């Protein structure tokens, strides 16, 4: 495959247009203190990414425990109570610890570079929002060794499982989620302030790269729903410790209210995890198709409509709680409506590829896999949106298959595509080609082996969140577990690629990819600590 | 444009953006809590969550609609950790809309000591809850029973004649819950490990 790739751009015909090449600040602290106190968007971005990768592996180990137990029917390795803690912690860590911080890390690194800003608008706040995360997740992980064990009520923490019947560690879980939430909110404020105020002179909103656009919209979603999450967990805290009855039927409360509040946060939250991914893919595909993105404006409007619609569909997670018929119909149709702007996006990516001169560098491989596999997840979502059908599918492995398709070869592949795309900018070296290709192909095979059979198991009626299952599901589960081990192991290759790339490798020029047109490619590779201290000259392209 | 003035403009811009987002944030946090009473009002008006009125209602004087007969079922449930029983001999009744009927329920505390509990009602289908009137119900207050004590308590109810035509069966579920939600009890229970049942 390597031989089919076009030659890399050479340094000769590249020049560095970007702002100052100022050397590192003269009085910067060294060693640990440098990382603890840094206010530099690139260093903070790196911290976020390292944190996210760590969480990805911790959450991944929990997933391996789950898949090892489910390898065969019967109880072999762990007790059901511990199994429940594993599913819960896996979900919480992947959502709040791996995917969200990875996107914030990419935003920290790339948003200022893509809009020609010297740094984030609020650098010190930036430092604070990062360091909240290790505290939050250390606390969350510490619940594993507490008496009564870690949270065991699923990542959706439905009351009264998470209140009346919750383990004592739940208060720590609430506190750590509060911290992670505050971190996201502060990050979002920072990103909005940066994008709205720090663009290079001459860059209008409709000139911004799509990664910036999608992050701006994501940040608004965060501002709108993270306070609702904070409200819900505060109500849980009050119910558990202070005898209120928000969700307690005995005292006049209503557990179904919990689900409404949770999903009012929860559905926009799933878009928080996918909109930045759309942005990454929308900058990578044009680069390697060597064409302008097809339908730039429609991409922006589609993203905005998805964000707005995402507030009107929450009860598609609650079709079976006993909604009245009108509500079933409303949420069914509004959910299906979201597929329209999503379809516009997929259409635009494919049209961008049409008649492009495409080459298949590692970032492009991941981006293309994203388009195909995310679409599969979108289709299973549409099946779930059919309310009468969801009575059958709900709480089965079909739902698990759906959201893993949109989140793993969706969000996670997009993050990896972004990492491969920008590694030359961060380190000054291209990632090792052969290893990257191995990583890609093993991941694609692993992901599909893991999650595709889940569709069948779910349609056949296998419930989710169980440590043991009926014999008829044994074959599907064995394939799934083997796929999961393969996928898990191949992520070690990813770590190897990143470490090798930091250490050395083929040197990358400023414009590391021939088709890269955004501002980040105008600063040297590796990007110096300080860039665009004087704003760059921005010439709008005709989108 | 002077670079300095530019810097200043950006600073004010950032400050303005931050204060606006903070306002939205605070608004959304309050909104989350406001949703709780809004949800209750919404459910009361539409009857969506199957809750019935928490206090006695008067009979609606209307003619009995003898052309329709509705099956009313009664289900009782206990809670783990509460040594009480709630029973009735009337599993099922056939009533006409407009008719008022009495059903007797029996409470029994099978534990050693006295305790407090409350029977919380729920109606399904939930649309029926708007048309179920309770003239007398033990569910309006909590009950205190000494160890081994029994209590007979009546429910007098009426289905109003405007009950939608498509409803043929109404199920009324009473779930017994312990009343012990005080701060002190929670923590004492927590320490003595008795609470997690
Ligand atoms: C065309 C777009 C989509 C549609 C129509 C759709 C529809 C649905 C429906 C109806 C459910 C509920 C199924 C049930 O519980 O019975 C569901 C669950 C879920 N979806 Fe989607 N979805 C879409 C896209 C996405 C995306 C982009 C993400 C995230 C990146 C996502 C993440 C999830 C998650 C995490 C759950 C399960 C939550 C849980 O119960 O644990 N979905 N989806
Ligand atoms: Cu949803």
């Amino acid at each position: 495959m390597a031989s089919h790739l076009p030659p890399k751009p050479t340094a000769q015909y590249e020049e560095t247009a970007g702002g100052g090449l100022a050397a590192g600040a003269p009085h910067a602290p060294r060693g640990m203190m440098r990382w603890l106190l840094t206010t530099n968007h690139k260093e903070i971005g790196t911290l976020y990414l390292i944190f996210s990768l760590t969480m990805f592996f911790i959450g991944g180990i929990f997933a391996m425990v789950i898949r090892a137990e489910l390898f065969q029917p019967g109880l072999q390795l762990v007790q059901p109570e511990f199994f429940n803690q594993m599913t819960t912690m896996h979900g919480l860590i992947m959502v709040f610890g791996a995917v969200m911080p990875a996107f914030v890390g990419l935003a920290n690194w790339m948003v200022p570079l893509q809009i020609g800003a010297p740094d984030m608008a609020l650098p010190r706040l930036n430092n604070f929002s990062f360091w909240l995360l290790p505290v939050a997740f250390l606390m969350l992980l510490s619940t594993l060794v507490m008496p009564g064990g870690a949270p065991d009520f699923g990542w959706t923490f439905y009351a009264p499982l998470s209140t009346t019947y919750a383990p004592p560690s739940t208060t720590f879980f609430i506190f750590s989620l509060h911290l992670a939430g505050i971190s996201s909110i502060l990050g979002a404020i920072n990103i909005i302030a940066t994008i709205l105020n720090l663009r290079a002179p001459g860059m209008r909103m409709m000139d911004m790269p799509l990664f910036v656009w999608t992050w701006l919209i994501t940040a608004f979603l965060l501002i709108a729903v993270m306070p609702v999450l904070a409200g819900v967990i505060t109500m849980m805290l009050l119910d558990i410790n202070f005898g209120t009855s928000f969700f307690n039927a005995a005292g006049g409360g209503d557990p179904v209210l919990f689900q409404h509040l949770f999903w009012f946060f929860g559905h926009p939250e799933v878009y928080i995890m996918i909109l930045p991914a759309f942005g990454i893919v929308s900058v990578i595909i044009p680069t390697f198709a060597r064409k302008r993105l097809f339908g730039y404006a429609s991409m922006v409007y589609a993203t905005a409509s998805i964000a707005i619609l995402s507030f009107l569909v929450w009860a598609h997670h609650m079709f079976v709680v006993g909604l009245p018929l009108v509500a079933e119909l409303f949420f069914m149709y509004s959910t299906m409506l979201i597929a329209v702007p999503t379809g516009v996006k997929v259409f635009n990516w494919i049209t961008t590829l049409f008649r492009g001169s495409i080459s298949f560098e590692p970032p492009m491989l991941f981006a293309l896999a994203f388009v195909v596999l995310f679409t599969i997840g979108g289709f299973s979502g549409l099946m779930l949106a059919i309310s009468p059908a969801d009575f059958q599918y709900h709480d089965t492995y079909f739902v698990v298959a759906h959201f893993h398709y949109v989140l793993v070869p969706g969000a996670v592949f997009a993050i990896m595509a972004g990492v491969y795309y920008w590694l030359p900018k961060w380190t000054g070296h291209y990632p090792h080609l052969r290893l990257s290709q191995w990583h890609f192909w093993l991941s694609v095979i692993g992901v599909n082996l893991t999650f595709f059979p889940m569709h069948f198991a779910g349609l056949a009626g296998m419930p989710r969140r169980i440590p043991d299952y009926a014999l008829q599901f044994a074959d599907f589960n064995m394939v799934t577990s083997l796929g999961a081990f393969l996928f898990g192991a191949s992520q070690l290759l990813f770590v190897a690629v990143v470490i090798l790339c930091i250490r050395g490798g083929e040197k990358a020029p400023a414009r590391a990819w021939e088709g890269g047109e955004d501002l980040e490619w105008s600063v040297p590779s590796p990007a110096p600590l300080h860039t665009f201290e004087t704003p760059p000259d921005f010439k709008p392209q005709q989108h | 444009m002077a670079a300095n003035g530019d810097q200043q403009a950006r600073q004010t811009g950032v400050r303005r953006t931050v204060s606006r987002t903070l306002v939205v944030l605070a608004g959304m946090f309050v909104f989350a809590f406001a949703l709780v009473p809004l949800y209750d009002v919404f459910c009361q008006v539409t009857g969506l969550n199957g809750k019935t009125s928490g206090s006695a209602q008067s009979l609606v004087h209307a003619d009995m609609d003898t052309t329709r007969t509705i099956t009313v079922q009664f289900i009782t449930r206990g809670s783990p950790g509460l040594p009480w029983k709630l029973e009735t001999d009337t599993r099922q009744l056939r009533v006409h809309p407009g008719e008022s009927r009495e059903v007797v329920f029996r409470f029994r505390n099978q534990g050693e000591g006295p305790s407090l509990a409350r029977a919380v009602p729920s109606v399904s289908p939930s649309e029926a809850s708007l048309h179920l009137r309770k003239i007398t119900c033990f569910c309006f207050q909590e009950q205190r029973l000494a160890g081994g004590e029994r209590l007979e308590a009546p429910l007098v109810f009426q289905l109003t004649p405007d009950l939608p035509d498509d409803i043929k069966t109404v199920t009324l579920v009473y779930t017994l819950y312990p009343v012990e939600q005080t701060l002190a009890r929670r923590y004492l229970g927590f320490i003595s490990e008795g609470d997690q049942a």
Side-chain angles (χ1 to χ4, degrees), chain A residues 301-462:
Chain A
Y301 295 130
T303 313
S305 349
I306 291 175
I308 292 166
L309 283 174
S310 74
F311 288 103
L312 301 176
V313 300
W314 77 88
H316 64 215
H317 297 275
M318 304 168 55
F319 281 141
V320 302
V321 298
L323 298 178
L325 186 63
V326 270
E328 298 270 343
L329 289 173
F330 173 81
F331 287 107
M332 171 164 116
Y333 289 124
S334 62
T335 303
M336 290 178 169
L337 202 60
I338 288 207
V340 176
T342 313
V344 167
K345 290 187 154 283
V346 175
F347 176 83
N348 284 348
W349 291 322
I350 292 173
T351 315
T352 307
L353 291 169
F354 184 66
R355 294 199 164 162
S357 45
I358 303 173
S359 57
F360 297 93
E361 281 87 348
M364 184 64 160
L365 290 176
F366 277 94
L368 292 176
F370 171 94
V371 174
V372 176
L373 299 178
F374 171 79
T375 306
I376 294 180
F379 280 136
S380 58
L382 272 174
M383 288 173 69
L384 291 167
I386 304 168
S387 143
D390 187 62
F391 276 65
Q392 169 75 15
Y393 306 150
H394 181 68
D395 266 350
T396 68
Y397 258 83
F398 192 80
V399 178
V400 180
H402 159 64
F403 68 74
H404 280 93
Y405 260 89
V406 285
L407 285 172
V408 184
V412 172
F413 270 26
I415 292 166
M416 286 173 173
V419 170
Y420 279 113
Y421 185 57
W422 286 310
L423 262 177
K425 183 54 59 194
W426 301 339
T427 66
H429 309 280
Y430 287 103
H432 190 285
L433 187 61
R434 276 263 165 247
L435 269 185
S436 315
Q437 287 167 337
W438 271 101
H439 171 229
F440 171 75
W441 286 108
L442 291 179
S443 295
V444 173
I445 295 169
V447 142
N448 285 293
L449 275 181
T450 309
F451 299 119
F452 212 82
M454 287 185 181
H455 290 113
F456 303 126
L459 290 177
M462 178 170 165

Side-chain angles (χ1 to χ4, degrees), chain A residues 115 121 192-199, chain B residues 9-18:
Chain A
I115 63 173
I192 294 176
T194 307
I195 297 175
L196 292 187
N197 299 293
L198 265 56
R199 294 193 307 280
Chain B
R10 285 178 163 198
Q11 287 285 313
T12 28
V14 168
R15 217 166 293 139
R16 195 172 47 223
T17 311
V18 171

